[in-house]
Amino acid sequence: MRSLLMFFTLIHVFSAAALQVGAERYDQYLSLLKNQRVALVVNQTAQTQDGHLLDSLLAKGVDVRKVFAPEHGFRGNHDAGAKVDSSKDSKTGLPIVSLYGKNKKPTADVLEDIDIIVFDIQDVGVRFYTYISTMHYVMEAAAENEKQFIVLDRPNPNIAYVDGPILEPKFHSFVGMHPIPVLHGMTVGELARMINAEGWLNTSKELALTVIPVADYNANISYDLPIKPSPNLPNAQAIALYPSLCFFEATPVSVGRGTMRPFQVYGHDEVKLGEFSFTPQPTPGAASNPKLKGKVAYGKNLADAETQGLDLTWFISAYRAFDNKGEAFFTHAQFMDKLAGTDKLRLAIKSGQTFEEIKKSWQADLAKFKRRRQPYLLYKR
């Protein structure tokens, strides 16, 4: 049995590695960059078989003028929410312009010497993962300043799932900018097409958008990311659990930031949520000041747990444990509602509804969303 498992694992790894991501399909887009002044929106995940996309394009004679860096920075070594300063790339000397913090959108001055903007960042298919918010603002700036915008597409490790509540307009924020579910089941290229065509950009000008698809990709291909997309999503299990556990960020419960298992464990120091224990500690580049720092938290280890899509059973169980002790759980209710894209989820949990009842309430809206997104899909479902 073990040898059989190893065989299928090898097949899985090979099929993922064999995919040719958009950035590697030079024959599809290098001609578009010829004699153009180029800016890249990239981080550490913008890798090709030749190395980082920036280095690859420079080696091929592309006139890259600057780099725009999202949350976590160009090299992906900043904490979530940490201030990311503009700087210079130590290897190439090119200016790096931060798009996180106050300046989420490139200004006209910054884009004055640019003709084309290329976006190549690995996403995880979750609405509140802020790289898609960065993409939105850059798309908007590109349209306003009449610049071409190219998305070099990459697989979505959560593409199999369309789940969770649809964002309501009044809960619009940087952790949720579009009327899509928590798990939208789209690649960034497909999502860019939808954002553009649905009129979600806050501009009357049209965007010249080109998407370079992943070769021979479809939604049935399981894909383990070769590089962690951000400091606290170190492996496939964390990425799979991220949409379910991220809601704990609006509560006193730790999701393991500052441990070896971020987004694979959860717990609290005073309200015991399980027998597993962990102690968050400062971790450079991932959690400089983690929740429950230095305290022993008791909860669950989900490193081997099976989950499909959005699973809020752990979250609801934790809420009830806090409620039974008279302890506040939704300590950041406004942030919870922004993550959920609605206040209905929080209120449903407080009213005692089960996860099955809550999940049922999403289905009609999810069916409408699937029909709405259909024209923008690039890969077989």
Side-chain angles (χ1 to χ4, degrees):
M1 176 64 75
R2 184 179 178 184
S3 61
L4 186 62
L5 178 61
M6 289 178 67
F7 172 77
F8 281 115
T9 300
L10 285 171
I11 292 294
H12 165 75
V13 171
F14 175 77
S15 65
L19 285 177
Q20 189 180 36
V21 298
E24 294 172 335
R25 303 184 71 190
Y26 300 114
D27 61 322
Q28 300 290 311
Y29 70 92
L30 276 184
S31 60
L32 303 176
L33 306 183
K34 187 176 181 180
N35 299 323
Q36 301 294 305
R37 300 168 298 175
V38 177
L40 303 182
V41 186
V42 291
N43 63 4
Q44 80 285 352
T45 65
Q47 294 289 331
T48 71
Q49 293 182 356
D50 302 322
H52 195 281
L53 180 66
L54 172 60
D55 302 324
S56 301
L57 294 184
L58 288 174
K60 294 179 184 301
V62 176
D63 184 12
V64 181
R65 295 292 181 94
K66 62 190 65 172
V67 172
F68 293 115
E71 182 179 9
H72 304 298
F74 175 49
R75 299 296 178 188
N77 56 358
H78 291 273
D79 292 0
K83 185 177 183 292
V84 179
D85 294 320
S86 296
S87 58
K88 282 190 176 183
D89 178 39
S90 58
K91 184 175 181 179
T92 65
L94 286 176
I96 300 174
V97 181
S98 172
L99 294 181
Y100 192 72
K102 292 182 179 179
N103 302 313
K104 294 181 173 67
K105 181 175 173 179
T107 62
D109 290 344
V110 171
L111 292 177
E112 187 175 4
D113 62 342
I114 298 299
D115 301 307
I116 296 179
I117 304 171
V118 177
F119 181 96
D120 182 24
I121 294 179
Q122 178 64 60
D123 187 46
V124 298
V126 183
R127 187 184 63 220
F128 40 68
Y129 202 56
T130 60
Y131 295 148
I132 60 175
S133 298
T134 295
M135 181 176 72
H136 175 109
Y137 279 125
V138 181
M139 289 172 65
E140 202 168 86
E144 291 169 347
N145 293 280
E146 300 179 344
K147 311 297 181 181
Q148 296 182 60
F149 190 81
I150 298 176
V151 177
L152 303 180
D153 213 6
R154 290 180 180 268
N156 170 4
N158 282 312
I159 200 169
Y161 307 111
V162 178
D163 210 352
I166 305 289
L167 181 135
E168 300 170 15
K170 69 177 180 179
F171 296 100
H172 175 281
S173 73
F174 193 59
V175 294
M177 298 188 68
H178 312 111
I180 60 177
V182 172
L183 282 157
H184 49 74
M186 302 173 75
T187 66
V188 287
E190 293 174 323
L191 190 55
R193 283 159 55 92
M194 189 172 190
I195 291 169
N196 191 38
E198 290 288 327
W200 293 343
L201 298 176
N202 187 25
T203 178
S204 60
K205 293 187 177 181
E206 292 187 9
L207 173 66
L209 171 67
T210 301
V211 176
I212 307 301
V214 182
D216 302 319
Y217 180 55
N218 67 69
N220 297 316
I221 294 177
S222 179
Y223 186 76
D224 286 344
L225 303 188
I227 298 174
K228 60 183 180 181
S230 52
N232 285 291
L233 294 181
N235 52 44
Q237 183 69 349
I239 290 168
L241 289 166
Y242 172 69
S244 302
L245 298 191
C246 193
F247 292 107
F248 279 121
E249 302 277 61
T251 77
V253 176
S254 167
V255 291
R257 292 182 186 269
T259 75
M260 297 297 289
R261 298 185 181 93
F263 286 101
Q264 298 156 84
V265 301
Y266 71 91
H268 193 258
D269 60 325
E270 295 181 359
V271 179
K272 194 172 183 180
L273 302 177
E275 298 301 321
F276 180 76
S277 65
F278 60 92
T279 305
Q281 299 289 356
T283 306
S288 58
N289 186 31
K291 188 184 296 183
L292 303 183
K293 180 179 69 175
K295 298 180 180 179
V296 180
Y298 296 91
K300 301 283 188 182
N301 178 7
L302 305 178
D304 297 317
E306 292 187 11
T307 183
Q308 293 186 337
L310 187 59
D311 188 343
L312 297 182
T313 53
W314 303 300
F315 188 76
I316 293 172
S317 176
Y319 165 77
R320 290 173 178 171
F322 270 72
D323 196 44
N324 288 339
K325 292 184 177 295
E327 296 287 338
F329 184 71
F330 291 113
T331 49
H332 297 84
Q334 188 176 37
F335 185 49
M336 171 69 193
D337 296 346
K338 287 180 178 180
L339 290 173
T342 177
D343 59 0
K344 292 184 177 66
L345 175 57
R346 176 175 55 84
L347 296 176
I349 293 171
K350 292 185 71 173
S351 73
Q353 289 187 38
T354 65
F355 178 48
E356 290 72 21
E357 291 171 327
I358 295 171
K359 191 177 182 73
K360 187 177 180 180
S361 71
W362 301 333
Q363 299 312 307
D365 286 341
L366 290 177
K368 291 178 183 176
F369 169 74
K370 287 180 180 179
R371 290 193 295 270
R372 188 177 185 180
R373 74 171 188 168
Q374 189 62 37
Y376 313 113
L377 300 182
L378 295 168
Y379 312 101
K380 183 179 178 181
R381 262 62 176 183

